[in-house]
Amino acid sequence: MNSVLLYVARRALLHFVPVLVGMSMLVFGVIRLVPGDAADLMNVRMTLEQRAETRRLFGLEEPIPVQYAIWLGEVVQGNLGVSLRSGRAVVDEIAAVLPGTLELGLLGALLGIGIGLPVGILSAVHQDRPADRGMRFLVYIFISLPEFWLGTLMVLLFSIHLRWLPAGGYVGLFDDPLEALRFVVMPAVVLGLIMAAFLSRVVRSTMLETLRQDYVTVARAKGLSGPAVLLDHALRNAAGPIITLVGLQFAFLISGSVIVEEVFVRPGLGRLLVRSIFQRDYAVVQGVTLLFTVIFVAANLLTDVLRGIVDPRVRARA
Amino acid sequence: MIQPVDALRLAMRNPVVAVSGAFILLYCLSALLAPYIVSHAPDVMDARARLAPPSLEHPLGTDQFGRDVFSRVVHGGRVSLQVAFVAVFTAVIVGGAIGMVMGYVGGLFDALASRVLDVLIAFPSLLLALFLVAVLGPDLKNLILAISLTRVPYFARLTRAEVSSLVERPFIEASRAAGASGSRLMLRHILPNLLPLLVVFATTDVATAIIAESSLSYLGLGAQPPTPSWGRMLTEARAFFGQAVWLALCPGLGLQPLRRRAARRHRPPAAWPMRRARNGCRGCTSDRSGMFDLTPLPSSSRPAEPTAASCPSSTKPRWTSGSNVKIRGVRGARECR
C-alpha cells in the first residue's frame, strides 16, 4: 500500500500540480486579452470617477502578475469572483446549476460503463459470430452520431411523435425524484450511448488480446468455469487500458454535457458557460472553465491512481 | 514498398472502405461544386414557400424563411470543409514546426515547451475551443483559430516524438558529419521523413475538426447567420421540428458519414509502409481530450490484414522510448489469425 501512496504523491506533485498551475495561468491570462475591462463591460454611461472606482474595486489597477496572485489566492479559498451580469458570486451561480450537471454526467457515465463493458466483453467472446457483428454494427452507428443530432432525433421521436418524455427542461432530483428521472433520461441516454460505443470498442479489443494469452488457456485447462476465467483472469488483466479510456471519456462527458444541455434546454454548467459567453460575463466563463478543467485533471489523476492499484507494473514505471 | 495504385485496389476490396471512400469523395465533390449542383442560392428567401415539405423543386424542403434546405446543406458542407481544412493545415504547420524544434534542439526548450503542451492537452478540446471563442468573439475566423489551436499540441507532440527518434538514425549522423547545418538537417533530411506521418494524421484530424466545427456552430459560436452551417441549421430548426421534420433530419444526415470518417481515423493507409511499427506506434495516440480516437478499429474496416509472419512482433503495444510523450501503439491488427 505504501508504494501506491508514494506513486500517487509523485504523480500528483510532478504532473498534476504543474498542469493545474499552468491551466490557471492560461485561463487567467487569456481572459486579460479581451479588449476593455470590467468597467467597460458593465455600463457605458459611467463618469470617469465611477470608472476609476470600479477599476479599483475589481483590482484592475494592479500589475498583471499581482492580479494573478491575488486572483489565485481567492480561487484557492473558493472565491471565483462576482458575475458581472447578475451581481451574484460566481460560486453561487455554479452551485445553483451543479446538481443538474452532476446528475446528468453521473447517470451518463453509469449508462456508458453499464452498457459499454458488457457489450465489449460479449462482443469479444463471440468474436466474428453474428452477435459480435450485430453489436459492432450498432457501435459503429453510435460512434458516427454527433451528440446534438442523436439528441434531436430522440426529441423528435419520444417527445414530439410519441409524447412520452418532455423535450427539455429540468426538475430537481430532491423536489420530485420520479419527475426528475423523466427529464434526465433522454440527455443521459444520449451521453451514455455514445460513451458506451467508444468504450465497448476498447473493451472488445483488449479482451480479445488477453483472451489469447497463455494464462487464459491454462485457467481453462485447470477446469475453471467460463465466467471465472472471463472475469478473474481476462478482465482483470484487461482493466488497465479500460480504466485509462474511462478517464479520458471524462473529456467527452464534459464537452458532451455542454452540448446535450443545450439540446435539451437543461440548466447546468454547460448552459451557464454558453450563456455567459454570449453575455460576455467573463468572470463566470472563467469560473466554469476552471471548474471543468479541474474536474478533468482530477479524473485523470484518479485514473492514474486506479491503474497504479490494479497494475503494480505501472507503479514501478512512474 | 507497396505502390499507391496497388494499395488503392487492395483497399477497395473491403466494402466498408469502398463505401466510406465513395462517401468522402461525394462529400468533397459536392463541396467543391456546390454552386453548380443546387438550383437555389442558400440564402435566397421565398416567403410563399416557408417550411415547405420536400418536393421536386426543393428536394429536402425549405426552412422557416423559405430557403432551400438542400442548397443550405450542400453549402454548409462547404463551410465545414473550409474551416476544417484551414484549421488542420495551420495546426500541422505550427505544431509540426514546434515539435521539430523541440525534438531537434531538446534540452531546456524541449522541457519548457513540453510543459506548455501538457497544459494545453489537459483541457478537453471542445472546452478550450469554447473558451477561446468566448474571448475572441464568435465568428468564422476565430472559430478556425480556436479549433486549430486545440489541435496544435497533438501535432507538436507527435512530431517531437518522431523527430527525437529520427535524430538518432545513422543517416542524420552521416549528413552532420558531412557538414550539414541544423536547418538543412531539419528541412532536407528530417522533414521528408516526417511527411507521411503528418499527412496521415492531418487527414484523419480533418474529421475531428469538422465535428468540432459543427458542435461549436450548434452552440451558436461558429459561422454567424446567414452563412449556412450544419450545426447552426439544427439549432435554428429547433423551434419548427413539430411542423417540419426535414429540418432536423437533413443537416444531420450530412454529418452522419463524417463521424464514420472520424471512426476510421488513425489508420495508416495501406500505401503507408509498415515502418511505424518500429516504435510500436501504428498511428494511434493516447489523448486526454477524448476527441481523438484511441481505439483500434474493427477488423472489417481495415483494408489489408497483416500477414501472420508480421503479426506477433509488430502488434505489441509499446511506449515510445526516450520521451515523456505517451504515444501508444494501440495495435491496428488485433484480428490477425
Side-chain angles (χ1 to χ4, degrees):
Chain A
M1 204 54 215
N2 229 346
S3 70
V4 172
L5 276 179
L6 199 70
Y7 162 76
V8 171
R10 210 158 31 181
R11 278 301 284 167
L13 280 179
L14 290 182
H15 187 73
F16 289 101
V17 169
V19 162
L20 275 178
V21 171
M23 284 170 136
S24 68
M25 282 183 182
L26 190 86
V27 170
F28 178 85
V30 169
I31 290 280
R32 303 299 119 165
L33 292 179
V34 182
D37 56 36
D40 298 315
L41 285 167
M42 282 177 75
N43 195 343
V44 272
R45 289 158 180 267
M46 266 195 280
T47 64
L48 276 177
E49 291 79 47
Q50 281 171 323
R51 288 180 63 94
E53 176 62 19
T54 318
R55 286 176 60 84
R56 204 186 50 74
L57 208 68
F58 281 91
L60 297 172
E61 305 278 290
E62 308 286 341
I64 296 274
V66 176
Q67 284 187 36
Y68 172 70
I70 294 172
W71 174 76
L72 194 64
E74 292 288 321
V75 167
V76 172
Q77 294 171 45
N79 178 8
L80 291 169
V82 175
S83 162
L84 298 177
R85 293 287 156 186
S86 66
R88 292 169 63 200
V90 174
V91 178
D92 293 341
E93 295 259 343
I94 290 177
V97 292
L98 193 61
T101 301
L102 280 184
E103 194 186 313
L104 172 64
L106 286 180
L107 200 60
L110 221 62
L111 279 172
I113 297 170
I115 300 172
L117 208 60
V119 165
I121 296 175
L122 286 177
S123 208
V125 172
H126 297 281
Q127 187 192 356
D128 288 337
R129 272 182 267 164
D132 176 36
R133 284 176 189 281
M135 280 189 275
R136 262 158 59 196
F137 179 72
L138 283 179
V139 161
Y140 225 63
I141 287 182
F142 284 110
I143 282 179
S144 314
L145 283 168
E147 306 82 351
F148 52 89
W149 198 42
L150 181 59
T152 306
L153 291 183
M154 286 180 71
V155 169
L156 271 180
L157 181 62
F158 294 112
S159 305
I160 292 176
H161 287 281
L162 298 175
R163 296 182 181 281
W164 286 352
L165 293 166
Y170 170 72
V171 169
L173 189 61
F174 298 106
D175 303 337
D176 185 351
L178 223 72
E179 195 61 16
L181 204 65
R182 266 166 50 84
F183 277 94
V184 79
V185 67
M186 268 204 296
V189 163
V190 170
L191 281 185
L193 280 179
I194 294 177
M195 181 172 165
F198 278 101
L199 190 61
S200 72
R201 289 208 315 183
V202 173
V203 173
R204 176 177 183 272
S205 53
T206 34
M207 281 301 277
L208 277 180
E209 189 184 339
T210 38
L211 281 175
R212 217 171 277 134
Q213 300 291 324
D214 289 340
Y215 56 77
V216 172
T217 319
V218 171
R220 284 218 180 94
K222 279 195 303 193
L224 284 181
S225 70
V229 174
L230 209 61
L231 300 178
D232 282 356
H233 293 254
L235 188 61
R236 182 90 200 264
N237 280 286
I242 295 172
I243 290 173
T244 306
L245 188 87
V246 172
L248 292 177
Q249 289 282 342
F250 264 82
F252 164 75
L253 283 178
I254 289 171
S255 53
S257 73
V258 173
I259 291 172
V260 163
E261 280 172 4
E262 199 63 28
V263 176
F264 292 98
V265 205
R266 210 184 133 78
L269 280 181
R271 262 181 78 81
L272 179 65
L273 178 65
V274 174
R275 201 194 65 209
S276 310
I277 288 175
F278 282 115
Q279 295 180 342
R280 322 207 107 213
D281 192 343
Y282 293 112
V284 180
V285 172
Q286 197 172 0
V288 176
T289 309
L290 210 63
L291 182 64
F292 269 144
T293 46
V294 169
I295 291 175
F296 185 46
V297 170
N300 273 306
L301 181 61
L302 194 69
T303 307
D304 276 8
V305 173
L306 281 179
R307 273 204 85 156
I309 292 174
V310 172
D311 190 345
R313 286 167 301 181
V314 175
R315 253 177 288 166
R317 203 164 46 215
Chain B
M1 187 78 179
I2 312 168
Q3 291 303 307
V5 179
D6 292 342
L8 195 68
R9 202 172 296 149
L10 208 63
M12 283 304 146
R13 243 184 257 162
N14 185 318
V16 178
V17 177
V19 169
S20 6
F23 255 129
I24 293 168
L25 196 70
L26 193 74
Y27 174 61
C28 291
L29 275 181
S30 76
L32 278 176
L33 303 174
Y36 305 101
I37 300 175
V38 298
S39 48
H40 303 262
D43 45 9
V44 166
M45 303 183 197
D46 181 356
R48 281 164 306 165
R50 292 173 63 222
L51 298 172
S55 62
L56 272 182
E57 202 198 339
H58 302 287
L60 302 180
T62 62
D63 68 3
Q64 68 275 26
F65 298 115
R67 296 177 296 197
D68 184 42
V69 173
F70 177 65
S71 169
R72 289 182 70 73
V73 167
V74 170
H75 278 90
R78 208 174 198 196
V79 174
S80 303
L81 257 193
Q82 219 174 324
V83 170
F85 270 114
V86 177
V88 171
F89 187 74
T90 321
V92 171
I93 303 283
V94 176
I98 294 173
M100 188 141 68
V101 177
M102 280 169 76
Y104 186 79
V105 177
L108 188 67
F109 175 77
D110 183 32
L112 283 178
S114 289
R115 290 277 117 172
V116 175
L117 293 185
D118 276 350
V119 170
L120 283 176
I121 282 185
F123 278 96
S125 297
L126 186 80
L127 190 68
L128 183 58
L130 260 178
F131 182 58
L132 291 171
V133 171
V135 171
L136 300 167
D139 81 19
L140 211 55
K141 198 172 75 246
N142 295 336
L143 183 70
I144 293 176
L145 197 67
I147 292 178
S148 114
L149 212 72
T150 59
R151 310 318 304 163
V152 163
Y154 297 102
F155 286 108
R157 276 195 167 183
L158 186 74
T159 315
R160 180 197 172 279
E162 184 68 6
V163 169
S164 54
S165 82
L166 277 172
V167 168
E168 310 286 318
R169 300 271 290 273
F171 71 92
I172 296 293
E173 205 184 335
S175 46
R176 188 179 286 141
S181 65
S183 58
R184 187 181 164 83
L185 277 179
M186 278 196 264
L187 295 178
R188 292 296 297 266
H189 298 282
I190 294 178
L191 186 61
N193 280 289
L194 282 176
L195 279 182
L197 177 74
L198 285 182
V199 167
V200 168
F201 269 77
T203 35
T204 50
D205 214 44
V206 168
T208 314
I210 290 178
I211 298 292
E213 187 271 336
S214 61
S215 300
L216 287 168
S217 293
Y218 182 81
L219 296 176
L221 295 165
Q224 296 301 307
T227 312
S229 157
W230 293 339
R232 185 94 208 178
M233 285 167 75
L234 276 177
T235 328
E236 287 173 358
R238 271 199 304 205
F240 307 96
F241 282 168
Q243 305 157 51
V245 183
W246 55 93
L247 282 180
L249 290 178
C250 300
L253 277 176
L255 274 170
Q256 177 62 13
L258 286 171
R259 263 285 170 98
R260 201 155 287 193
R261 243 175 105 191
R264 303 189 328 133
R265 68 202 335 270
H266 295 178
R267 190 195 54 239
W272 192 22
M274 286 307 177
R275 67 179 196 62
R276 293 287 316 152
R278 181 173 39 79
N279 27 8
C281 175
R282 288 256 301 281
C284 290
T285 62
S286 134
D287 169 295
R288 286 182 180 281
S289 77
M291 284 185 86
F292 258 73
D293 189 0
L294 180 98
T295 54
L297 292 139
S299 63
S300 56
S301 70
R302 226 172 283 131
E305 295 289 332
T307 60
S310 74
C311 193
S313 62
S314 67
T315 51
K316 279 259 162 52
R318 260 179 281 157
W319 301 93
T320 45
S321 55
S323 80
N324 58 351
V325 180
K326 286 174 185 165
I327 292 194
R328 173 110 199 283
V330 179
R331 51 186 211 185
R334 304 257 152 190
E335 263 76 45
C336 50
R337 274 155 278 192

